[in-house]
Amino acid sequence: MTRDLGPLDAFGPRSWITPEVTGFGREPSTSPLRLDDAISLDGDWSFALRPRPEAVTAADVGAAGPRTATPDLGSGDWSTVAVPGCWTMQGHDRPQYTNVQMPFAGPLGRVPDDDPTGVYRRAVHVPAEWAGQRIVLHVGGAESVLYVHLDGQPVGMGKDSRLPHEFDVTDFVTPGSTVDVALSVVRWSDATYLEDQDHWYHAGLHRSVALYATPRTRIVDVHATADFDPATGDGRLDVRVPVAIDPAAPAPAGLRVRVEVAGQSVDAPVAIEPADASMLDLVLFGGQHATASITVPGVAPWTAETPDLHDVTVTLLDGPGTAGAPGAPSEPAHDTPLDTVHLTVGFRRVEVRGHELLVNGQPVLIRGVNRHDHDPHRGKAVTRESIEHDLVLMKQHNINAVRTSHYPNDSHLYDVCDRLGLYVVDEADVETHAYLRWLTKDPTWSTAVVERIERMASRDKNHPSVIIWSLGNESGSSPTHQAAATWLRAWDGTRPVQYEGGIGDDLFADIAGGTFPDPGELYARPRPETDLIAPMYPPVADLVSWATRATPAQPLIMCEYIHAMGNSCGGLDEYWRAIRTYPGLQGGFVWDWVDQALWQTLPGGTERLAYGGDFGDQPNDGPFCCNGLVAADRTPHPSLLELAKVVQPVQMEAIDAARGQVRVTNEHAFVDLSWLEPVWSLDVDGEPVTSGALEPLALGPGDHTRVELPVNVPDLAPGQLAHLTLTFRTLDDLPWAAAGHVVAWEQFEVGRAGGPAPARGAAPASTRALADLEPTLALWRAPIDNETYADVGHSHAERWEAIGLADGPRHAELTTESHASDNGGVEVTHVVTVPDSVGEVARVGVRLHVGPGAATVEWAGDGPHEGYSDRCAGTRFGRWTTSVDDWPVPYVHPQASGNRTGVRWLRILDERGEPRLVIDELAGLDVTVARWTDDEVAAADHLEDLPARDDCWVWIDARHRGVGSGAVGPDVAPEHRVGPGTYRWRYRIR
């Protein structure tokens, strides 16, 4: 049975499910050199959502009616949406979240019959002054297939949701009049199989749309290679400028390109195909372009620590002129400027030498993070302000690199990384996770895979921040990847190529063959598609095995490690001890930056943060999208504060801290420490005693020195602790931080007096009886995501539920002794024996019911934020205060949170600041405070499911399990687990 062809069939029947068709009428990818002078078409567009591509009519795309007709918004078929934007966040259709699985059933190549297709319409006035020029329509991003019609005429189409589509529309418009622009976007397509990433599927025009004009004889693109020679300090700019010549214009007299940088200029002739070309001329002709080189002596180089940029102007001239050597005089009177473009470059050299990734000749540690485009209100349509805010936050937390997981970002991100100083792994929009070992080996898809990689590199080639090309993510390994890597190295030899897929492909192949390879051997296998070893979530022991089995032949930089899902990121300090110890380990990228939660309006008008399945989206992967170092609104999670501390670029260790002797190491690769002010303070029980500042240290990169601090530890009363803290903070305002911003710190215990630790401050007038607090044995906690999603079918949460661990007394007996303390109050001692038959538990502690009226907690211990035994490097001892409401962390998917380590005493106060309960003489135990029980937290799917009430519980634990990274990465290390045995702990109630 045949069907009538619709307007979207203009480029081939059902081209949206034809993998070999990747674009039609689309211009080659180039650097974005023209958008600053473009007319923005962002704003409100008329919009209609059709159920499938075949349902789009000629009238929808403007083929019927007057030339400048716009849809009848009163007809009910049309509404208004904002561009850029996702229609899934503007009242049409719905977002859908999956991780590995496809959002719809296969087989490979099939799309659903219900395939929402949005038609955007807008009348656009073309300026009269553009007459005689070439006119280009720019669509920054369309998910997932774009079709363009002007005045109802088919112009072109394109796939790849995360790169721009540009169309030469000169022949479709009339300068001085209005054109009706129709942009149709098909949601599900063959391209979806190449974009099977762990993120929300949205749909629509999620990046900016613009119209711009160029001369007909013009600069097509600029490929600028700005190299830096660390031996001489000189920079060399090599520029290749392809040029297009208007065939209708008179023949140029002396076409050439002038390149200007750093006060120097050079003219270079444009090679033009001879009109009467002989066979030899054709063979020797290398394309219509110009090449130029300029040496800049003593140039300020670009690094993430010193992001020095240089403006470059490229002008296309016609006239006799004088071509040749740099600085050669020209003849302005005879020069006719035909076209000019501007760009910025950074002089830097990136290379892999042995087991080191070098920037300007120096090995760099990659303190990186993976970042998805995400806005909790706008979905994939992130703003420039949001992009900049993300990158500033990264810099403020000692992150120096970002992987654009798993697709090219908006060009603005690279501009900001150039300016602020962040290394970028630029990743192609290729992930075939559901068909991991199959799709990329099928030649049907080869053109699309290679084209996506080529188009990414062509757009982003001039950014100094881009130091590594990535072929994509989790797409197996195939000859297509090898071909793409070969092309990249030949086309741009200034950057290494990265790809992880070969490791996973080999691993699955070995397992299918009945063998389980040694991870060190697996990582060391040579792979032609990658210049780096980039594994995912390796245990630290595997990294050490690789680094010590033989001299590494390549650098190892983890493309993903330490999965930041909910209450997570335990063991970060263990990773970085290995990275700092073993040659070849050069860091990695945390997964990932932001919780991908979306604001959802519920019946009745209330809002909540939602995750997979909350929109009726099937299939889905639930809250697995909430794995950010920051919350959806960019509030830092405790895991980000831990990362900032662990990767800080200034390291401090005690020589004799009690005498103020500390070794300081500068881990920067390029700058000394003179931009930081060292300040120190001496505290007793968290109260400041004395402080001071040192002169900035002119300590060179990679060097260390001994500093002497004028510390005099006072005599301590029984139970007191003294700490010395050394902090390095910015001296001046920076583009990413104000003066005084803390870059690095370390705290050292310098005195401890034996005996119990009494609370500072008043106690209640009367002591509550222990029985009034309803002490209950606690062996369980509301499972964190790492205990729910790890090893599905055999997870900790499932085992604990199967044995009924939440009902602690079934598994162990709590023995409690209490008596009046000589110092007032009641001294309490608990003893618990966890039998071998129970195995590993979440905690061994006691829960106390404080009751209503608790408003504030004051404590002496580690803080100020949440900490666990395997994630407490970012906390420090002090005297802290927070509200009961703010003690837990509001993870989108409710789970255990809010633990504090090393607590010596706490006071619970009412709204007037009067003490309700004091618990002291703790020997540095773990404490949690909450308004809900663990059962209530575990039963809640969302934060709003937790009861709103005035109540309070306190948990005092002899041992509390760490958090690990087990949803994807390693489980909690053995030393941070809680196993069978006898536990004894004590405290005093006042």
Side-chain angles (χ1 to χ4, degrees):
M1 181 178 177
T2 61
R3 66 176 181 90
D4 293 334
L5 297 181
L8 304 192
D9 292 304
F11 311 106
R14 296 170 65 84
S15 58
W16 55 90
I17 54 170
T18 307
E20 300 92 331
V21 178
T22 60
F24 190 93
R26 184 173 61 185
E27 293 290 285
S29 178
T30 62
S31 299
L33 302 172
R34 310 281 186 174
L35 293 179
D36 288 344
D37 298 322
I39 295 174
S40 173
L41 302 184
D42 293 348
D44 290 340
W45 285 60
S46 300
F47 178 78
L49 187 64
R50 302 305 182 212
R52 60 191 60 87
E54 296 90 340
V56 175
T57 66
D60 286 338
V61 299
R67 175 180 172 83
T68 59
T70 54
D72 179 6
L73 297 184
S75 68
D77 285 335
W78 294 83
S79 61
T80 301
V81 297
V83 174
C86 302
W87 74 59
T88 48
M89 299 302 294
Q90 300 188 67
H92 302 275
D93 198 6
R94 61 191 176 198
Q96 183 171 357
Y97 168 68
T98 66
N99 175 18
V100 175
Q101 63 183 329
M102 288 291 293
F104 47 78
L108 180 63
R110 178 190 174 275
V111 298
D113 293 333
D114 294 328
D115 190 358
T117 301
V119 183
Y120 295 78
R121 291 274 298 277
R122 175 169 175 171
V124 175
H125 180 74
V126 182
E129 56 268 27
W130 286 4
Q133 298 194 70
R134 171 178 169 270
I135 300 171
V136 179
L137 176 67
H138 169 95
V139 180
E143 186 177 353
S144 66
V145 182
L146 172 71
Y147 293 86
V148 177
H149 288 78
L150 268 61
D151 286 336
Q153 298 300 308
V155 174
M157 57 83 63
K159 299 172 184 176
D160 191 340
S161 299
R162 314 296 166 196
L163 281 175
H165 308 278
E166 293 196 333
F167 303 90
D168 184 338
V169 298
T170 309
D171 294 337
F172 295 87
V173 302
T174 302
S177 61
T178 300
V179 63
D180 183 31
V181 179
L183 305 178
S184 303
V185 181
V186 180
R187 181 168 194 182
W188 306 123
S189 68
D190 59 77
T192 311
Y193 288 88
L194 289 170
E195 299 173 2
D196 182 25
Q197 292 116 347
D198 175 13
H199 67 153
W200 287 97
Y201 288 93
H202 288 284
L205 301 172
H206 61 92
R207 293 183 186 161
S208 289
V209 180
L211 196 70
Y212 66 85
T214 76
R216 291 180 181 268
T217 297
R218 67 190 185 281
I219 295 169
V220 173
D221 197 7
V222 176
H223 189 168
T225 301
D227 181 48
F228 175 74
D229 186 344
T232 65
D234 294 343
R236 177 185 169 96
L237 179 66
D238 292 314
V239 178
R240 188 180 192 276
V241 185
V243 170
I245 299 175
D246 181 5
L255 207 60
R256 64 192 187 281
V257 163
R258 177 170 298 161
V259 180
E260 300 170 271
V261 65
Q264 300 188 57
S265 69
V266 61
D267 285 9
V270 175
I272 301 175
E273 181 180 353
D276 299 319
S278 68
M279 181 58 68
L280 180 61
D281 291 332
L282 292 175
V283 169
L284 296 179
F285 181 61
Q288 202 155 268
H289 72 282
T291 58
S293 297
I294 297 179
T295 297
V296 184
V299 73
W302 188 96
T303 72
E305 299 168 18
T306 59
D308 288 292
L309 296 173
H310 302 265
D311 294 326
V312 176
T313 299
V314 180
T315 305
L316 180 63
L317 301 166
D318 191 22
T322 302
S330 59
E331 300 181 28
H334 300 286
D335 287 341
T336 303
L338 304 178
D339 193 14
T340 300
V341 297
H342 304 275
L343 64 152
T344 57
V345 300
F347 290 88
R348 58 104 179 95
R349 178 179 294 177
V350 182
E351 55 191 326
V352 170
R353 191 183 303 162
H355 60 260
E356 291 183 320
L357 171 71
L358 305 177
V359 175
N360 296 342
Q362 297 298 315
V364 294
L365 286 177
I366 299 298
R367 302 169 167 93
V369 66
N370 289 275
R371 177 191 174 276
H372 264 300
D373 281 342
H374 181 75
D375 185 287
H377 294 282
R378 298 166 55 86
K380 284 291 176 190
V382 296
T383 64
R384 287 190 164 203
E385 293 75 16
S386 173
I387 290 171
E388 183 130 5
H389 183 53
D390 277 352
L391 299 177
V392 165
L393 267 179
M394 291 178 193
K395 289 284 289 189
Q396 290 176 346
H397 289 87
N398 295 325
I399 292 168
N400 72 349
V402 58
R403 177 180 177 224
T404 66
S405 53
H406 299 292
Y407 41 78
N409 283 197
D410 187 284
S411 289
H412 186 66
L413 178 133
Y414 306 84
D415 292 338
V416 180
C417 289
D418 292 344
R419 173 165 45 87
L420 295 183
L422 283 149
Y423 299 122
V424 174
V425 172
D426 200 8
E427 190 148 273
D429 190 12
V430 180
E431 180 167 340
T432 66
H433 209 154
Y435 295 88
L436 184 69
R437 301 193 64 232
W438 174 9
L439 190 149
T440 58
K441 293 180 174 67
D442 183 346
T444 305
W445 303 80
S446 296
T447 296
V449 171
V450 174
E451 183 183 87
R452 285 165 179 251
I453 294 165
E454 291 176 349
R455 293 182 73 239
M456 169 193 70
S458 295
R459 188 195 68 164
D460 299 334
K461 56 189 176 290
N462 293 329
H463 289 284
S465 57
V466 176
I467 64 166
I468 298 171
W469 298 122
S470 170
L471 303 182
N473 187 67
E474 292 176 315
S475 300
S477 181
S478 69
T480 301
H481 290 107
Q482 297 178 27
T486 299
W487 182 88
L488 277 171
R489 295 184 187 110
W491 181 79
D492 172 36
T494 69
R495 299 170 174 94
V497 176
Q498 168 185 305
Y499 185 59
E500 176 274 341
I503 296 175
D505 204 62
D506 281 5
L507 175 63
F508 293 132
D510 286 359
I511 291 174
T515 62
F516 294 86
D518 172 73
E521 183 275 328
L522 180 66
Y523 298 160
R525 293 179 190 176
R527 293 185 173 84
E529 72 275 5
T530 186
D531 301 315
L532 310 167
I533 302 169
M536 286 186 176
Y537 307 104
V540 173
D542 291 352
L543 297 177
V544 175
S545 170
W546 169 83
T548 57
R549 66 192 314 273
T551 300
Q554 292 176 298
L556 187 152
I557 299 172
M558 296 170 285
C559 66
E560 294 177 24
Y561 79 112
I562 215 79
H563 192 261
M565 184 177 183
N567 190 356
S568 188
C569 290
L572 258 170
D573 53 346
E574 186 181 359
Y575 273 104
W576 277 85
R577 278 195 296 272
I579 290 166
R580 291 181 168 110
T581 301
Y582 297 101
L585 302 180
Q586 279 192 256
F589 296 84
V590 172
W591 185 266
D592 65 356
W593 174 243
V594 61
D595 275 353
Q596 293 181 64
L598 294 170
W599 282 109
Q600 179 186 40
T601 302
L602 299 173
T606 61
E607 284 190 318
R608 71 172 178 184
L609 283 169
Y611 49 74
D614 287 340
F615 297 90
D617 47 314
Q618 293 293 337
N620 68 80
D621 284 300
F624 212 79
C625 55
C626 298
N627 38 37
L629 291 168
V630 297
D633 67 356
R634 274 53 179 184
T635 299
H637 282 158
S639 53
L640 178 60
L641 306 180
E642 181 83 355
L643 179 67
K645 174 64 172 64
V646 169
V647 305
Q648 64 186 24
V650 184
Q651 294 293 299
M652 292 151 272
E653 57 183 325
I655 299 173
D656 187 343
R659 297 185 178 182
Q661 299 172 2
V662 177
R663 178 180 292 106
V664 175
T665 301
N666 178 10
E667 280 194 346
H668 292 96
F670 302 101
V671 298
D672 64 28
L673 297 187
S674 60
W675 67 292
L676 298 172
E677 179 187 30
V679 296
W680 61 271
S681 64
L682 179 67
D683 298 346
V684 173
D685 278 358
E687 298 288 343
V689 173
T690 186
S691 62
L694 303 178
E695 289 297 316
L697 304 177
L699 183 65
D703 292 341
H704 61 83
T705 191
R706 171 179 175 146
V707 298
E708 302 272 351
L709 307 175
V711 174
N712 184 15
V713 180
D715 293 335
L716 302 177
Q720 285 190 325
L721 286 179
H723 288 89
L724 170 67
T725 303
L726 178 58
T727 301
F728 285 82
R729 62 191 188 189
T730 54
L731 275 168
D732 302 310
D733 289 342
L734 301 171
W736 51 269
H741 170 76
V742 173
V743 171
W745 62 272
E746 196 64 66
Q747 186 181 67
F748 308 95
E749 183 181 314
V750 294
R752 177 185 289 260
R760 304 293 182 250
S766 60
T767 299
R768 297 177 65 175
L770 178 62
D772 292 341
L773 297 173
E774 306 168 17
T776 304
L777 175 64
L779 302 177
W780 180 74
R781 66 185 181 196
I784 63 175
D785 288 332
N786 286 333
E787 293 156 353
T788 301
Y789 290 93
D791 195 15
V792 175
H794 304 86
S795 70
H796 295 291
E798 289 168 315
R799 184 179 69 81
W800 292 338
E801 182 178 7
I803 66 173
L805 190 67
D807 185 12
R810 286 178 49 190
H811 303 283
E813 181 179 350
L814 171 66
T815 301
T816 301
E817 298 178 0
S818 64
H819 58 82
S821 170
D822 294 340
N823 298 322
V826 176
E827 184 175 306
V828 180
T829 301
H830 299 298
V831 179
V832 171
T833 298
V834 179
D836 292 342
S837 59
V838 174
E840 186 179 338
V841 296
R843 68 190 336 155
V844 176
V846 65
R847 186 187 75 193
L848 305 178
H849 188 195
V850 179
T856 304
V857 187
E858 182 185 21
W859 80 101
D862 298 336
H865 54 270
E866 167 190 272
Y868 291 80
S869 64
D870 63 348
R871 201 193 70 215
C872 58
T875 63
R876 62 187 184 275
F877 188 88
R879 183 170 175 175
W880 313 105
T881 302
T882 190
S883 70
V884 173
D885 292 332
D886 290 338
W887 182 285
V889 178
Y891 296 112
V892 175
H893 183 227
Q895 57 199 279
S897 72
N899 188 68
R900 299 319 195 263
T901 60
V903 177
R904 294 171 64 81
W905 57 260
L906 70 155
R907 302 168 70 231
I908 298 180
L909 314 175
D910 63 19
E911 290 184 351
R912 298 170 298 173
E914 298 296 326
R916 292 267 289 116
L917 179 69
V918 174
I919 303 174
D920 61 4
E921 299 186 2
L922 301 167
L925 299 182
D926 286 54
V927 171
T928 304
V929 179
R931 296 205 182 277
W932 319 284
T933 66
D934 280 291
D935 303 86
E936 291 170 329
V937 173
D941 290 327
H942 298 84
L943 291 170
E944 70 273 9
D945 297 333
L946 295 168
R949 62 171 177 230
D950 179 16
D951 210 339
C952 181
W953 284 265
V954 175
W955 288 257
I956 301 174
D957 298 329
R959 286 288 306 277
H960 196 107
R961 174 180 162 88
V963 294
S965 188
V968 171
D971 195 5
V972 174
E975 61 269 30
H976 300 292
R977 300 178 185 178
V978 183
T982 298
Y983 297 84
R984 180 186 183 94
W985 69 108
R986 64 169 297 278
Y987 52 89
R988 180 177 64 159
I989 296 174
R990 293 196 287 141

